Amino acid sequence: MKVSDIMSRDVQIARPQDSIQSVAKRMREIDAGSMPICDGERVHGMVTDRDIAIRAVAEGRSFEGPVSDIMSAEVECVFDDDDAREAAGRMASAQIRRLPVLNRETNRLVGILALGDIAGRVKDSTAGHILEEISEQTRPI
């Protein structure tokens, strides 16, 4: 099974210059814990609700500042034609719950692969193993 078979294609993105507050509001509206930061369709980073809490709120940053100030610039991605179980293994080893999915030919964002996508479609213990790996160790920001 390929990543493209189970990924979510309806991806909401933020721009690097969008304010932290506007991104947080959009994340609330779509009930998302993370959002890719893109310039066009190219991924430049990822912001999570944890980034907002730890890097913005706890540090007393202005919520009108650009989300690029708090995003994680090093983003683990997978390609749409990658094997879903291999992508799941990457999620476990990197201790992350969501991966941006890129088209191999264009390197452009085409979807998001979430732990829930794997749990709903891969019929074995893969999702449980990933969650166990993610929960086992804490990952520094």
Side-chain angles (χ1 to χ4, degrees):
M1 181 178 304
K2 299 289 183 201
V3 168
S4 61
D5 296 329
I6 62 173
M7 71 183 190
S8 299
R9 294 178 189 278
D10 183 25
V11 182
Q12 299 291 316
I13 63 164
R15 306 278 181 220
Q17 67 274 13
D18 290 349
S19 73
I20 295 166
Q21 184 174 28
S22 69
V23 173
K25 284 181 179 179
R26 287 186 33 225
M27 288 171 63
R28 179 187 64 196
E29 289 168 5
I30 64 171
D31 193 25
S34 65
M35 186 173 282
I37 309 301
C38 300
D39 188 8
E41 294 174 334
R42 304 244 183 234
V43 177
H44 287 273
M46 197 79 159
V47 70
T48 66
D49 46 10
R50 187 173 194 283
D51 293 330
I52 293 168
I54 303 299
R55 294 182 179 154
V57 176
E59 292 178 7
R61 292 179 185 257
S62 167
F63 300 139
E64 293 307 314
V67 73
S68 59
D69 286 353
I70 65 164
M71 72 181 189
S72 296
E74 292 184 30
V75 180
E76 184 80 24
C77 296
V78 293
F79 291 106
D80 55 354
D81 61 353
D82 284 346
D83 179 78
R85 282 190 176 81
E86 288 177 18
R90 290 179 61 193
M91 291 172 79
S93 65
Q95 296 181 309
I96 51 180
R97 297 171 189 258
R98 290 171 193 84
L99 289 170
V101 180
L102 308 177
N103 176 274
R104 188 175 301 277
E105 294 174 14
T106 64
N107 236 22
R108 295 191 184 277
L109 182 69
V110 294
I112 291 282
L113 180 65
L115 179 58
D117 298 325
I118 293 168
R121 301 288 300 276
V122 178
K123 304 298 182 195
D124 60 18
S125 61
T126 302
H129 173 71
I130 296 168
L131 185 57
E132 184 179 306
E133 290 288 319
I134 291 169
S135 302
E136 192 170 277
Q137 305 168 3
T138 57
R139 183 173 162 241
I141 304 181

